[in-house]
Amino acid sequence: MNFQNDLNAYIRAGYPLIYVSALEPERAISSIEKVCDSINDGLSCHIWKNTTGWDNTGNGDDPDEIFECIDRRQTPNAVSVLCNYHAYIGENPNPVLVQQFMDSYFKWKTAENHRTVIVLSPFYKMAPELERFFQTINYTLPETEQIEKIVDSIASAY
């Protein structure tokens, strides 16, 4: 299976926490948004970056307030992408954030509070106690066959 099929399956199956390793984060975000658009009538997808906050609306939000925002401001079934959040839950993790992920996992797994949170990082770094809560997917670069199809389709258009 490919990245989009795997992600689609995990979201539809109700997994609340997904870890995506991607060397090209903008391409990965684009693929995540396409998957969100394809599920039901489309799921809302919110992107958080430490530098720009939620959906490029500010100067960045405090990483400690992420959970409150996901719970209070975002609708059930929404998908939230936390870019480079491995910095807070990887090496020398913040114990409060680790506990919040564990607590939120059980809350977000329920139908009435369901949320999907994706940690998007260039590499896999996670506190060992969190590993059992996350499904992990690698966003790989396109293979030669995929590149050839893209080039062929562009060439045939001209």
Side-chain angles (χ1 to χ4, degrees), residues 1-59:
M1 289 190 12
N2 68 25
F3 174 79
Q4 289 184 343
N5 290 340
D6 290 346
L7 182 61
N8 190 313
Y10 284 141
I11 292 173
R12 286 181 183 273
Y15 288 102
L17 299 174
I18 300 170
Y19 196 104
V20 174
S21 297
L23 293 176
E24 294 187 14
E26 294 307 317
R27 286 187 66 224
I29 288 170
S30 177
S31 292
I32 291 167
E33 290 173 332
K34 285 178 186 171
V35 169
C36 290
D37 287 343
S38 74
I39 296 175
N40 299 330
D41 292 327
L43 301 176
S44 61
C45 182
H46 305 280
I47 312 298
W48 178 86
K49 294 180 181 177
N50 200 1
T51 53
T52 58
W54 286 105
D55 302 321
N56 295 316
T57 59
N59 295 326

Side-chain angles (χ1 to χ4, degrees), residues 43-147:
L43 301 176
S44 61
C45 182
H46 305 280
I47 312 298
W48 178 86
K49 294 180 181 177
N50 200 1
T51 53
T52 58
W54 286 105
D55 302 321
N56 295 316
T57 59
N59 295 326
D61 294 324
D62 186 345
D64 297 333
E65 297 172 2
I66 294 296
F67 297 89
E68 179 182 337
C69 182
I70 292 169
D71 285 335
R72 292 199 178 144
R73 291 190 228 163
Q74 296 177 11
T75 59
N77 296 316
V79 175
S80 301
V81 180
L82 308 179
C83 296
N84 293 312
Y85 210 77
H86 69 281
Y88 307 103
I89 61 170
E91 207 169 296
N92 301 316
N94 178 327
V96 172
L97 295 178
V98 169
Q99 187 63 53
Q100 284 182 307
F101 266 111
M102 290 192 284
D103 294 344
S104 296
Y105 173 86
F106 295 105
K107 179 174 37 176
W108 294 336
K109 198 170 170 89
T110 65
E112 64 273 2
N113 291 314
H114 183 70
R115 309 288 196 277
T116 301
V117 174
I118 298 172
V119 172
L120 176 62
S121 170
F123 46 81
Y124 182 83
K125 253 191 188 175
M126 185 182 309
E129 56 267 44
L130 286 179
E131 289 181 353
R132 70 184 186 99
F133 295 98
F134 279 83
Q135 299 301 312
T136 304
I137 309 172
N138 290 320
Y139 183 85
T140 57
L141 299 174
E143 295 176 7
T144 304
E145 184 178 298
Q146 292 171 305
I147 294 171

Side-chain angles (χ1 to χ4, degrees), residues 145-158:
E145 184 178 298
Q146 292 171 305
I147 294 171
E148 287 173 355
K149 285 182 182 177
I150 293 168
V151 170
D152 289 344
S153 69
I154 292 171
S156 66
Y158 290 101

